[in-house]
PDB file of all heavy atoms in Angstrom:
ATOM      1  N   ALA A   1      -0.751 -10.438  -0.794  1.00 87.00           N
ATOM      2  CA  ALA A   1      -0.287 -10.444   0.695  1.00 87.00           C
ATOM      3  C   ALA A   1       0.131  -9.245   1.186  1.00 87.00           C
ATOM      4  O   ALA A   1      -0.282  -8.876   2.440  1.00 87.00           O
ATOM      5  CB  ALA A   1       1.004 -11.503   0.719  1.00 87.00           C
ATOM      6  N   ARG A   2       0.595  -8.283   0.402  1.00 86.00           N
ATOM      7  CA  ARG A   2       0.885  -6.901   0.888  1.00 86.00           C
ATOM      8  C   ARG A   2      -0.402  -6.152   1.197  1.00 86.00           C
ATOM      9  O   ARG A   2      -0.460  -5.266   2.128  1.00 86.00           O
ATOM     10  CB  ARG A   2       1.651  -6.206  -0.188  1.00 86.00           C
ATOM     11  CG  ARG A   2       2.030  -4.809   0.072  1.00 86.00           C
ATOM     12  CD  ARG A   2       3.170  -4.692   1.085  1.00 86.00           C
ATOM     13  NE  ARG A   2       4.344  -5.307   0.605  1.00 86.00           N
ATOM     14  CZ  ARG A   2       5.231  -4.963  -0.150  1.00 86.00           C
ATOM     15  NH1 ARG A   2       5.055  -3.672  -0.729  1.00 86.00           N
ATOM     16  NH2 ARG A   2       6.307  -5.648  -0.567  1.00 86.00           N
ATOM     17  N   VAL A   3      -1.511  -6.426   0.443  1.00 88.00           N
ATOM     18  CA  VAL A   3      -2.837  -5.658   0.706  1.00 88.00           C
ATOM     19  C   VAL A   3      -3.302  -6.257   2.160  1.00 88.00           C
ATOM     20  O   VAL A   3      -3.749  -5.235   2.898  1.00 88.00           O
ATOM     21  CB  VAL A   3      -3.862  -6.097  -0.365  1.00 88.00           C
ATOM     22  CG1 VAL A   3      -5.157  -5.601  -0.003  1.00 88.00           C
ATOM     23  CG2 VAL A   3      -3.316  -5.508  -1.748  1.00 88.00           C
ATOM     24  N   SER A   4      -3.097  -7.466   2.467  1.00 89.00           N
ATOM     25  CA  SER A   4      -3.622  -7.959   3.719  1.00 89.00           C
ATOM     26  C   SER A   4      -2.856  -7.234   4.836  1.00 89.00           C
ATOM     27  O   SER A   4      -3.349  -6.845   5.898  1.00 89.00           O
ATOM     28  CB  SER A   4      -3.471  -9.427   3.740  1.00 89.00           C
ATOM     29  OG  SER A   4      -4.227 -10.098   2.848  1.00 89.00           O
ATOM     30  N   ALA A   5      -1.424  -7.242   4.774  1.00 88.00           N
ATOM     31  CA  ALA A   5      -0.688  -6.481   5.609  1.00 88.00           C
ATOM     32  C   ALA A   5      -1.060  -5.003   5.881  1.00 88.00           C
ATOM     33  O   ALA A   5      -1.025  -4.433   6.869  1.00 88.00           O
ATOM     34  CB  ALA A   5       0.814  -6.685   5.315  1.00 88.00           C
ATOM     35  N   MET A   6      -1.235  -4.304   4.646  1.00 88.00           N
ATOM     36  CA  MET A   6      -1.714  -2.914   4.766  1.00 88.00           C
ATOM     37  C   MET A   6      -2.974  -2.725   5.492  1.00 88.00           C
ATOM     38  O   MET A   6      -3.076  -1.754   6.359  1.00 88.00           O
ATOM     39  CB  MET A   6      -1.844  -2.373   3.306  1.00 88.00           C
ATOM     40  CG  MET A   6      -0.513  -2.219   2.551  1.00 88.00           C
ATOM     41  SD  MET A   6      -0.744  -2.052   0.753  1.00 88.00           S
ATOM     42  CE  MET A   6      -1.868  -0.607   0.706  1.00 88.00           C
ATOM     43  N   LYS A   7      -4.024  -3.603   5.273  1.00 88.00           N
ATOM     44  CA  LYS A   7      -5.258  -3.489   5.870  1.00 88.00           C
ATOM     45  C   LYS A   7      -5.029  -3.618   7.400  1.00 88.00           C
ATOM     46  O   LYS A   7      -5.619  -3.018   8.293  1.00 88.00           O
ATOM     47  CB  LYS A   7      -6.206  -4.518   5.449  1.00 88.00           C
ATOM     48  CG  LYS A   7      -6.777  -4.209   4.051  1.00 88.00           C
ATOM     49  CD  LYS A   7      -7.718  -5.418   3.555  1.00 88.00           C
ATOM     50  CE  LYS A   7      -8.961  -5.427   4.449  1.00 88.00           C
ATOM     51  NZ  LYS A   7      -9.947  -6.542   4.152  1.00 88.00           N
ATOM     52  N   LYS A   8      -4.228  -4.655   7.747  1.00 88.00           N
ATOM     53  CA  LYS A   8      -4.041  -5.010   9.229  1.00 88.00           C
ATOM     54  C   LYS A   8      -3.244  -3.721   9.875  1.00 88.00           C
ATOM     55  O   LYS A   8      -3.604  -3.432  10.939  1.00 88.00           O
ATOM     56  CB  LYS A   8      -3.061  -6.294   9.384  1.00 88.00           C
ATOM     57  CG  LYS A   8      -2.865  -6.642  10.793  1.00 88.00           C
ATOM     58  CD  LYS A   8      -2.095  -7.967  10.907  1.00 88.00           C
ATOM     59  CE  LYS A   8      -1.774  -8.331  12.270  1.00 88.00           C
ATOM     60  NZ  LYS A   8      -0.991  -9.597  12.331  1.00 88.00           N
ATOM     61  N   ALA A   9      -2.230  -3.167   9.193  1.00 87.00           N
ATOM     62  CA  ALA A   9      -1.562  -2.075   9.870  1.00 87.00           C
ATOM     63  C   ALA A   9      -2.423  -0.961  10.020  1.00 87.00           C
ATOM     64  O   ALA A   9      -2.346  -0.254  10.920  1.00 87.00           O
ATOM     65  CB  ALA A   9      -0.301  -1.848   9.031  1.00 87.00           C
ATOM     66  N   LEU A  10      -3.219  -0.622   8.903  1.00 87.00           N
ATOM     67  CA  LEU A  10      -4.024   0.630   9.112  1.00 87.00           C
ATOM     68  C   LEU A  10      -5.173   0.452  10.057  1.00 87.00           C
ATOM     69  O   LEU A  10      -5.596   1.359  10.712  1.00 87.00           O
ATOM     70  CB  LEU A  10      -4.666   0.989   7.650  1.00 87.00           C
ATOM     71  CG  LEU A  10      -3.711   1.367   6.502  1.00 87.00           C
ATOM     72  CD1 LEU A  10      -4.501   1.495   5.242  1.00 87.00           C
ATOM     73  CD2 LEU A  10      -3.181   2.632   6.960  1.00 87.00           C
ATOM     74  N   GLY A  11      -5.651  -0.954  10.202  1.00 87.00           N
ATOM     75  CA  GLY A  11      -6.678  -1.202  11.256  1.00 87.00           C
ATOM     76  C   GLY A  11      -6.193  -1.184  12.578  1.00 87.00           C
ATOM     77  O   GLY A  11      -6.828  -0.543  13.517  1.00 87.00           O
ATOM     78  N   SER A  12      -4.996  -1.534  12.900  1.00 87.00           N
ATOM     79  CA  SER A  12      -4.388  -1.451  14.215  1.00 87.00           C
ATOM     80  C   SER A  12      -3.822  -0.045  14.524  1.00 87.00           C
ATOM     81  O   SER A  12      -3.794   0.283  15.646  1.00 87.00           O
ATOM     82  CB  SER A  12      -3.327  -2.507  14.313  1.00 87.00           C
ATOM     83  OG  SER A  12      -2.175  -2.249  13.426  1.00 87.00           O
ATOM     84  N   GLY A  13      -3.420   0.703  13.545  1.00 84.00           N
ATOM     85  CA  GLY A  13      -2.908   1.931  13.649  1.00 84.00           C
ATOM     86  C   GLY A  13      -1.510   2.003  14.207  1.00 84.00           C
ATOM     87  O   GLY A  13      -0.988   3.127  14.663  1.00 84.00           O
ATOM     88  N   VAL A  14      -0.750   0.937  14.015  1.00 86.00           N
ATOM     89  CA  VAL A  14       0.633   0.924  14.580  1.00 86.00           C
ATOM     90  C   VAL A  14       1.536   1.557  13.635  1.00 86.00           C
ATOM     91  O   VAL A  14       1.769   1.103  12.419  1.00 86.00           O
ATOM     92  CB  VAL A  14       1.105  -0.647  14.791  1.00 86.00           C
ATOM     93  CG1 VAL A  14       2.564  -0.604  15.270  1.00 86.00           C
ATOM     94  CG2 VAL A  14       0.211  -1.421  15.794  1.00 86.00           C
ATOM     95  N   GLN A  15       2.037   2.736  13.949  1.00 88.00           N
ATOM     96  CA  GLN A  15       2.866   3.557  13.046  1.00 88.00           C
ATOM     97  C   GLN A  15       4.135   2.863  12.547  1.00 88.00           C
ATOM     98  O   GLN A  15       4.462   3.094  11.360  1.00 88.00           O
ATOM     99  CB  GLN A  15       3.173   4.935  13.805  1.00 88.00           C
ATOM    100  CG  GLN A  15       1.972   5.627  14.258  1.00 88.00           C
ATOM    101  CD  GLN A  15       1.099   6.266  13.043  1.00 88.00           C
ATOM    102  OE1 GLN A  15       1.641   6.357  11.970  1.00 88.00           O
ATOM    103  NE2 GLN A  15      -0.138   6.445  13.325  1.00 88.00           N
ATOM    104  N   THR A  16       4.791   2.004  13.429  1.00 88.00           N
ATOM    105  CA  THR A  16       5.929   1.338  12.953  1.00 88.00           C
ATOM    106  C   THR A  16       5.587   0.482  11.798  1.00 88.00           C
ATOM    107  O   THR A  16       6.382   0.319  10.902  1.00 88.00           O
ATOM    108  CB  THR A  16       6.628   0.671  14.103  1.00 88.00           C
ATOM    109  OG1 THR A  16       5.661  -0.246  14.670  1.00 88.00           O
ATOM    110  CG2 THR A  16       7.196   1.660  15.088  1.00 88.00           C
ATOM    111  N   ASP A  17       4.541  -0.300  11.972  1.00 86.00           N
ATOM    112  CA  ASP A  17       4.156  -1.099  10.773  1.00 86.00           C
ATOM    113  C   ASP A  17       3.822  -0.455   9.555  1.00 86.00           C
ATOM    114  O   ASP A  17       4.208  -0.914   8.456  1.00 86.00           O
ATOM    115  CB  ASP A  17       3.017  -2.096  11.303  1.00 86.00           C
ATOM    116  CG  ASP A  17       3.315  -3.107  12.368  1.00 86.00           C
ATOM    117  OD1 ASP A  17       4.509  -3.436  12.492  1.00 86.00           O
ATOM    118  OD2 ASP A  17       2.366  -3.605  12.961  1.00 86.00           O
ATOM    119  N   ILE A  18       3.191   0.737   9.596  1.00 88.00           N
ATOM    120  CA  ILE A  18       2.788   1.453   8.539  1.00 88.00           C
ATOM    121  C   ILE A  18       4.043   2.022   7.775  1.00 88.00           C
ATOM    122  O   ILE A  18       4.350   1.992   6.624  1.00 88.00           O
ATOM    123  CB  ILE A  18       1.887   2.600   8.969  1.00 88.00           C
ATOM    124  CG1 ILE A  18       0.545   2.033   9.353  1.00 88.00           C
ATOM    125  CG2 ILE A  18       1.563   3.469   7.706  1.00 88.00           C
ATOM    126  CD1 ILE A  18      -0.468   3.115   9.904  1.00 88.00           C
ATOM    127  N   ASP A  19       4.928   2.462   8.604  1.00 88.00           N
ATOM    128  CA  ASP A  19       6.261   3.031   8.201  1.00 88.00           C
ATOM    129  C   ASP A  19       7.068   2.001   7.427  1.00 88.00           C
ATOM    130  O   ASP A  19       7.673   2.218   6.359  1.00 88.00           O
ATOM    131  CB  ASP A  19       7.129   3.675   9.247  1.00 88.00           C
ATOM    132  CG  ASP A  19       6.518   4.872   9.760  1.00 88.00           C
ATOM    133  OD1 ASP A  19       5.688   5.640   9.021  1.00 88.00           O
ATOM    134  OD2 ASP A  19       6.785   5.364  10.986  1.00 88.00           O
ATOM    135  N   ARG A  20       7.113   0.700   7.992  1.00 89.00           N
ATOM    136  CA  ARG A  20       7.812  -0.272   7.341  1.00 89.00           C
ATOM    137  C   ARG A  20       7.155  -0.681   6.008  1.00 89.00           C
ATOM    138  O   ARG A  20       7.929  -0.928   5.033  1.00 89.00           O
ATOM    139  CB  ARG A  20       7.746  -1.580   8.239  1.00 89.00           C
ATOM    140  CG  ARG A  20       8.504  -2.790   7.780  1.00 89.00           C
ATOM    141  CD  ARG A  20       8.404  -3.881   8.759  1.00 89.00           C
ATOM    142  NE  ARG A  20       6.949  -4.255   8.912  1.00 89.00           N
ATOM    143  CZ  ARG A  20       6.222  -5.126   8.145  1.00 89.00           C
ATOM    144  NH1 ARG A  20       6.829  -5.679   7.084  1.00 89.00           N
ATOM    145  NH2 ARG A  20       5.062  -5.382   8.461  1.00 89.00           N
ATOM    146  N   LEU A  21       5.779  -0.706   5.907  1.00 88.00           N
ATOM    147  CA  LEU A  21       5.186  -1.110   4.605  1.00 88.00           C
ATOM    148  C   LEU A  21       5.495   0.067   3.596  1.00 88.00           C
ATOM    149  O   LEU A  21       5.664  -0.288   2.449  1.00 88.00           O
ATOM    150  CB  LEU A  21       3.644  -1.342   4.841  1.00 88.00           C
ATOM    151  CG  LEU A  21       3.320  -2.493   5.639  1.00 88.00           C
ATOM    152  CD1 LEU A  21       1.832  -2.671   5.906  1.00 88.00           C
ATOM    153  CD2 LEU A  21       3.679  -3.855   4.830  1.00 88.00           C
ATOM    154  N   ILE A  22       5.471   1.222   4.020  1.00 89.00           N
ATOM    155  CA  ILE A  22       5.757   2.372   3.099  1.00 89.00           C
ATOM    156  C   ILE A  22       7.148   2.226   2.483  1.00 89.00           C
ATOM    157  O   ILE A  22       7.361   2.431   1.321  1.00 89.00           O
ATOM    158  CB  ILE A  22       5.570   3.690   3.860  1.00 89.00           C
ATOM    159  CG1 ILE A  22       4.085   3.968   4.090  1.00 89.00           C
ATOM    160  CG2 ILE A  22       6.074   4.835   2.914  1.00 89.00           C
ATOM    161  CD1 ILE A  22       3.793   5.242   4.877  1.00 89.00           C
ATOM    162  N   GLY A  23       8.021   1.978   3.620  1.00 89.00           N
ATOM    163  CA  GLY A  23       9.405   1.812   3.077  1.00 89.00           C
ATOM    164  C   GLY A  23       9.590   0.663   1.907  1.00 89.00           C
ATOM    165  O   GLY A  23      10.419   0.762   1.095  1.00 89.00           O
ATOM    166  N   LEU A  24       8.910  -0.531   2.284  1.00 88.00           N
ATOM    167  CA  LEU A  24       9.124  -1.551   1.408  1.00 88.00           C
ATOM    168  C   LEU A  24       8.491  -1.241   0.001  1.00 88.00           C
ATOM    169  O   LEU A  24       8.967  -1.619  -1.036  1.00 88.00           O
ATOM    170  CB  LEU A  24       8.301  -2.938   1.854  1.00 88.00           C
ATOM    171  CG  LEU A  24       8.918  -3.565   3.121  1.00 88.00           C
ATOM    172  CD1 LEU A  24       7.953  -4.622   3.625  1.00 88.00           C
ATOM    173  CD2 LEU A  24      10.219  -4.259   2.765  1.00 88.00           C
ATOM    174  N   SER A  25       7.399  -0.443   0.048  1.00 88.00           N
ATOM    175  CA  SER A  25       6.686  -0.135  -1.254  1.00 88.00           C
ATOM    176  C   SER A  25       7.684   0.754  -2.059  1.00 88.00           C
ATOM    177  O   SER A  25       7.647   0.675  -3.172  1.00 88.00           O
ATOM    178  CB  SER A  25       5.274   0.437  -0.919  1.00 88.00           C
ATOM    179  OG  SER A  25       4.443  -0.420  -0.418  1.00 88.00           O
ATOM    180  N   GLU A  26       8.304   1.698  -1.354  1.00 87.00           N
ATOM    181  CA  GLU A  26       9.071   2.673  -2.102  1.00 87.00           C
ATOM    182  C   GLU A  26      10.223   2.104  -2.678  1.00 87.00           C
ATOM    183  O   GLU A  26      10.773   2.599  -3.743  1.00 87.00           O
ATOM    184  CB  GLU A  26       9.460   3.826  -1.014  1.00 87.00           C
ATOM    185  CG  GLU A  26       8.261   4.696  -0.547  1.00 87.00           C
ATOM    186  CD  GLU A  26       8.796   5.881   0.397  1.00 87.00           C
ATOM    187  OE1 GLU A  26       9.817   5.584   1.031  1.00 87.00           O
ATOM    188  OE2 GLU A  26       8.069   6.908   0.473  1.00 87.00           O
ATOM    189  N   LYS A  27      10.768   1.038  -2.138  1.00 87.00           N
ATOM    190  CA  LYS A  27      11.783   0.379  -2.811  1.00 87.00           C
ATOM    191  C   LYS A  27      11.441  -0.328  -4.070  1.00 87.00           C
ATOM    192  O   LYS A  27      12.326  -0.556  -4.934  1.00 87.00           O
ATOM    193  CB  LYS A  27      12.376  -0.624  -1.850  1.00 87.00           C
ATOM    194  CG  LYS A  27      13.201  -0.025  -0.588  1.00 87.00           C
ATOM    195  CD  LYS A  27      13.682  -1.040   0.339  1.00 87.00           C
ATOM    196  CE  LYS A  27      14.332  -0.473   1.626  1.00 87.00           C
ATOM    197  NZ  LYS A  27      14.848  -1.538   2.592  1.00 87.00           N
ATOM    198  N   GLU A  28      10.167  -0.618  -4.248  1.00 86.00           N
ATOM    199  CA  GLU A  28       9.824  -1.368  -5.432  1.00 86.00           C
ATOM    200  C   GLU A  28       9.080  -0.543  -6.416  1.00 86.00           C
ATOM    201  O   GLU A  28       8.569  -0.981  -7.508  1.00 86.00           O
ATOM    202  CB  GLU A  28       8.801  -2.407  -4.852  1.00 86.00           C
ATOM    203  CG  GLU A  28       9.392  -3.523  -4.124  1.00 86.00           C
ATOM    204  CD  GLU A  28       8.285  -4.421  -3.549  1.00 86.00           C
ATOM    205  OE1 GLU A  28       7.034  -4.223  -3.914  1.00 86.00           O
ATOM    206  OE2 GLU A  28       8.624  -5.319  -2.669  1.00 86.00           O
ATOM    207  N   ILE A  29       9.076   0.827  -6.349  1.00 87.00           N
ATOM    208  CA  ILE A  29       8.532   1.798  -7.225  1.00 87.00           C
ATOM    209  C   ILE A  29       9.153   1.635  -8.468  1.00 87.00           C
ATOM    210  O   ILE A  29      10.446   1.636  -8.696  1.00 87.00           O
ATOM    211  CB  ILE A  29       8.548   3.196  -6.665  1.00 87.00           C
ATOM    212  CG1 ILE A  29       7.557   3.278  -5.505  1.00 87.00           C
ATOM    213  CG2 ILE A  29       8.118   4.278  -7.827  1.00 87.00           C
ATOM    214  CD1 ILE A  29       7.561   4.738  -4.930  1.00 87.00           C
ATOM    215  N   VAL A  30       8.495   1.478  -9.762  1.00 84.00           N
ATOM    216  CA  VAL A  30       8.916   1.495 -11.020  1.00 84.00           C
ATOM    217  C   VAL A  30       8.920   2.917 -11.637  1.00 84.00           C
ATOM    218  O   VAL A  30       7.805   3.455 -11.662  1.00 84.00           O
ATOM    219  CB  VAL A  30       8.162   0.539 -11.822  1.00 84.00           C
ATOM    220  CG1 VAL A  30       8.696   0.412 -13.317  1.00 84.00           C
ATOM    221  CG2 VAL A  30       8.197  -0.879 -11.334  1.00 84.00           C
ATOM    222  N   ALA A  31       9.943   3.360 -12.005  1.00 79.00           N
ATOM    223  CA  ALA A  31      10.086   4.749 -12.453  1.00 79.00           C
ATOM    224  C   ALA A  31       9.422   4.858 -13.831  1.00 79.00           C
ATOM    225  O   ALA A  31       9.326   3.943 -14.696  1.00 79.00           O
ATOM    226  CB  ALA A  31      11.513   5.193 -12.675  1.00 79.00           C
ATOM    227  N   GLY A  32       8.687   6.014 -14.084  1.00 72.00           N
ATOM    228  CA  GLY A  32       8.015   6.210 -15.392  1.00 72.00           C
ATOM    229  C   GLY A  32       6.722   5.625 -15.640  1.00 72.00           C
ATOM    230  O   GLY A  32       5.983   5.814 -16.592  1.00 72.00           O
ATOM    231  N   VAL A  33       6.182   5.020 -14.565  1.00 78.00           N
ATOM    232  CA  VAL A  33       4.724   4.455 -14.710  1.00 78.00           C
ATOM    233  C   VAL A  33       3.738   5.479 -14.364  1.00 78.00           C
ATOM    234  O   VAL A  33       3.872   6.212 -13.355  1.00 78.00           O
ATOM    235  CB  VAL A  33       4.642   3.268 -13.735  1.00 78.00           C
ATOM    236  CG1 VAL A  33       3.185   2.661 -13.834  1.00 78.00           C
ATOM    237  CG2 VAL A  33       5.575   2.175 -14.138  1.00 78.00           C
ATOM    238  N   ASN A  34       2.686   5.636 -15.245  1.00 76.00           N
ATOM    239  CA  ASN A  34       1.731   6.588 -15.117  1.00 76.00           C
ATOM    240  C   ASN A  34       0.573   5.892 -14.132  1.00 76.00           C
ATOM    241  O   ASN A  34      -0.247   5.059 -14.685  1.00 76.00           O
ATOM    242  CB  ASN A  34       1.013   6.994 -16.511  1.00 76.00           C
ATOM    243  CG  ASN A  34       0.135   8.086 -16.462  1.00 76.00           C
ATOM    244  OD1 ASN A  34       0.361   9.022 -15.554  1.00 76.00           O
ATOM    245  ND2 ASN A  34      -0.818   8.101 -17.261  1.00 76.00           N
ATOM    246  N   ILE A  35       0.401   6.401 -12.935  1.00 81.00           N
ATOM    247  CA  ILE A  35      -0.377   5.795 -12.003  1.00 81.00           C
ATOM    248  C   ILE A  35      -1.747   6.480 -11.976  1.00 81.00           C
ATOM    249  O   ILE A  35      -1.911   7.602 -12.489  1.00 81.00           O
ATOM    250  CB  ILE A  35       0.192   5.803 -10.572  1.00 81.00           C
ATOM    251  CG1 ILE A  35       0.375   7.264  -9.994  1.00 81.00           C
ATOM    252  CG2 ILE A  35       1.393   4.991 -10.512  1.00 81.00           C
ATOM    253  CD1 ILE A  35       0.855   7.164  -8.695  1.00 81.00           C
ATOM    254  N   CYS A  36      -2.778   5.729 -11.481  1.00 82.00           N
ATOM    255  CA  CYS A  36      -4.152   6.271 -11.370  1.00 82.00           C
ATOM    256  C   CYS A  36      -4.264   7.251 -10.266  1.00 82.00           C
ATOM    257  O   CYS A  36      -3.460   7.260  -9.251  1.00 82.00           O
ATOM    258  CB  CYS A  36      -5.110   5.080 -11.227  1.00 82.00           C
ATOM    259  SG  CYS A  36      -5.015   3.860 -12.494  1.00 82.00           S
ATOM    260  N   GLY A  37      -5.384   7.924 -10.217  1.00 83.00           N
ATOM    261  CA  GLY A  37      -5.680   8.697  -8.998  1.00 83.00           C
ATOM    262  C   GLY A  37      -6.019   7.825  -7.747  1.00 83.00           C
ATOM    263  O   GLY A  37      -6.245   6.699  -7.770  1.00 83.00           O
ATOM    264  N   PRO A  38      -5.815   8.472  -6.472  1.00 84.00           N
ATOM    265  CA  PRO A  38      -6.089   7.735  -5.308  1.00 84.00           C
ATOM    266  C   PRO A  38      -7.418   6.979  -5.268  1.00 84.00           C
ATOM    267  O   PRO A  38      -7.603   5.750  -4.838  1.00 84.00           O
ATOM    268  CB  PRO A  38      -6.041   8.849  -4.204  1.00 84.00           C
ATOM    269  CG  PRO A  38      -5.200   9.809  -4.892  1.00 84.00           C
ATOM    270  CD  PRO A  38      -5.449   9.838  -6.283  1.00 84.00           C
ATOM    271  N   ARG A  39      -8.533   7.523  -5.766  1.00 83.00           N
ATOM    272  CA  ARG A  39      -9.823   6.907  -5.758  1.00 83.00           C
ATOM    273  C   ARG A  39      -9.914   5.585  -6.480  1.00 83.00           C
ATOM    274  O   ARG A  39     -10.869   4.821  -6.412  1.00 83.00           O
ATOM    275  CB  ARG A  39     -10.937   7.792  -6.025  1.00 83.00           C
ATOM    276  CG  ARG A  39     -10.930   8.331  -7.536  1.00 83.00           C
ATOM    277  CD  ARG A  39     -12.120   9.247  -7.717  1.00 83.00           C
ATOM    278  NE  ARG A  39     -12.118   9.719  -9.058  1.00 83.00           N
ATOM    279  CZ  ARG A  39     -12.968  10.451  -9.528  1.00 83.00           C
ATOM    280  NH1 ARG A  39     -13.990  11.079  -8.842  1.00 83.00           N
ATOM    281  NH2 ARG A  39     -13.080  10.827 -10.940  1.00 83.00           N
ATOM    282  N   ASP A  40      -9.075   5.476  -7.430  1.00 83.00           N
ATOM    283  CA  ASP A  40      -8.944   4.318  -8.358  1.00 83.00           C
ATOM    284  C   ASP A  40      -8.131   3.078  -7.821  1.00 83.00           C
ATOM    285  O   ASP A  40      -8.107   2.206  -8.626  1.00 83.00           O
ATOM    286  CB  ASP A  40      -8.606   4.702  -9.862  1.00 83.00           C
ATOM    287  CG  ASP A  40      -9.482   5.842 -10.571  1.00 83.00           C
ATOM    288  OD1 ASP A  40     -10.800   5.636 -10.320  1.00 83.00           O
ATOM    289  OD2 ASP A  40      -8.948   6.680 -11.117  1.00 83.00           O
ATOM    290  N   PHE A  41      -7.476   3.295  -6.765  1.00 88.00           N
ATOM    291  CA  PHE A  41      -6.669   2.411  -6.231  1.00 88.00           C
ATOM    292  C   PHE A  41      -7.632   1.252  -5.531  1.00 88.00           C
ATOM    293  O   PHE A  41      -8.065   1.542  -4.292  1.00 88.00           O
ATOM    294  CB  PHE A  41      -5.620   2.967  -5.188  1.00 88.00           C
ATOM    295  CG  PHE A  41      -4.810   1.885  -4.639  1.00 88.00           C
ATOM    296  CD1 PHE A  41      -3.970   1.023  -5.400  1.00 88.00           C
ATOM    297  CD2 PHE A  41      -4.740   1.713  -3.225  1.00 88.00           C
ATOM    298  CE1 PHE A  41      -3.075   0.072  -4.878  1.00 88.00           C
ATOM    299  CE2 PHE A  41      -3.875   0.689  -2.635  1.00 88.00           C
ATOM    300  CZ  PHE A  41      -3.055  -0.037  -3.452  1.00 88.00           C
ATOM    301  N   LYS A  42      -7.991   0.096  -6.141  1.00 86.00           N
ATOM    302  CA  LYS A  42      -8.914  -0.844  -5.624  1.00 86.00           C
ATOM    303  C   LYS A  42      -8.198  -2.255  -5.687  1.00 86.00           C
ATOM    304  O   LYS A  42      -8.498  -2.976  -6.549  1.00 86.00           O
ATOM    305  CB  LYS A  42     -10.142  -0.841  -6.348  1.00 86.00           C
ATOM    306  CG  LYS A  42     -10.795   0.602  -6.305  1.00 86.00           C
ATOM    307  CD  LYS A  42     -12.124   0.462  -7.259  1.00 86.00           C
ATOM    308  CE  LYS A  42     -12.687   1.854  -7.321  1.00 86.00           C
ATOM    309  NZ  LYS A  42     -13.858   1.994  -8.162  1.00 86.00           N
ATOM    310  N   PRO A  43      -7.228  -2.383  -4.757  1.00 86.00           N
ATOM    311  CA  PRO A  43      -6.552  -3.650  -4.868  1.00 86.00           C
ATOM    312  C   PRO A  43      -7.152  -4.943  -4.669  1.00 86.00           C
ATOM    313  O   PRO A  43      -6.753  -6.015  -4.934  1.00 86.00           O
ATOM    314  CB  PRO A  43      -5.333  -3.447  -3.825  1.00 86.00           C
ATOM    315  CG  PRO A  43      -5.982  -2.518  -2.749  1.00 86.00           C
ATOM    316  CD  PRO A  43      -6.702  -1.492  -3.645  1.00 86.00           C
ATOM    317  N   GLU A  44      -8.348  -4.830  -4.011  1.00 85.00           N
ATOM    318  CA  GLU A  44      -9.019  -6.027  -3.735  1.00 85.00           C
ATOM    319  C   GLU A  44     -10.321  -6.238  -4.797  1.00 85.00           C
ATOM    320  O   GLU A  44     -11.168  -7.046  -4.473  1.00 85.00           O
ATOM    321  CB  GLU A  44      -9.750  -5.912  -2.338  1.00 85.00           C
ATOM    322  CG  GLU A  44      -8.777  -5.915  -1.178  1.00 85.00           C
ATOM    323  CD  GLU A  44      -9.249  -5.846   0.151  1.00 85.00           C
ATOM    324  OE1 GLU A  44      -9.787  -4.835   0.606  1.00 85.00           O
ATOM    325  OE2 GLU A  44      -9.296  -6.949   0.846  1.00 85.00           O
ATOM    326  N   HIS A  45     -10.261  -5.525  -5.766  1.00 84.00           N
ATOM    327  CA  HIS A  45     -11.318  -5.703  -6.748  1.00 84.00           C
ATOM    328  C   HIS A  45     -11.070  -7.032  -7.435  1.00 84.00           C
ATOM    329  O   HIS A  45     -10.001  -7.558  -7.683  1.00 84.00           O
ATOM    330  CB  HIS A  45     -11.156  -4.526  -7.841  1.00 84.00           C
ATOM    331  CG  HIS A  45     -12.476  -4.444  -8.705  1.00 84.00           C
ATOM    332  ND1 HIS A  45     -12.700  -5.194  -9.810  1.00 84.00           N
ATOM    333  CD2 HIS A  45     -13.513  -3.620  -8.644  1.00 84.00           C
ATOM    334  CE1 HIS A  45     -13.746  -4.929 -10.427  1.00 84.00           C
ATOM    335  NE2 HIS A  45     -14.353  -3.935  -9.735  1.00 84.00           N
ATOM    336  N   PRO A  46     -12.195  -7.650  -7.929  1.00 81.00           N
ATOM    337  CA  PRO A  46     -12.048  -9.045  -8.475  1.00 81.00           C
ATOM    338  C   PRO A  46     -11.288  -9.140  -9.756  1.00 81.00           C
ATOM    339  O   PRO A  46     -10.775 -10.076 -10.022  1.00 81.00           O
ATOM    340  CB  PRO A  46     -13.457  -9.364  -8.723  1.00 81.00           C
ATOM    341  CG  PRO A  46     -14.271  -8.663  -7.670  1.00 81.00           C
ATOM    342  CD  PRO A  46     -13.542  -7.456  -7.549  1.00 81.00           C
TER     343      PRO A  46
END
């Protein structure tokens, strides 16, 4: 559901929606997790 909201916010370009989603995501960050590079972020992959 967050992925759908992100696509909508980026598509519309509404900065307040993007800022709100960034804030929600930052609150849920898990410390110490080794994340992939930006090009490997494929949330809609099967």
Side-chain angles (χ1 to χ4, degrees):
R2 181 73 56 80
V3 171
S4 297
M6 288 165 53
K7 287 181 61 177
K8 182 178 179 180
L10 292 173
S12 65
V14 179
Q15 299 293 335
T16 54
D17 289 345
I18 295 175
D19 290 336
R20 179 179 60 82
L21 290 172
I22 290 175
L24 290 174
S25 296
E26 289 180 337
K27 291 179 181 179
E28 298 173 3
I29 289 177
V30 178
V33 175
N34 190 32
I35 63 173
C36 305
R39 66 179 183 179
D40 295 322
F41 181 59
K42 301 173 182 177
E44 295 183 284
H45 195 280

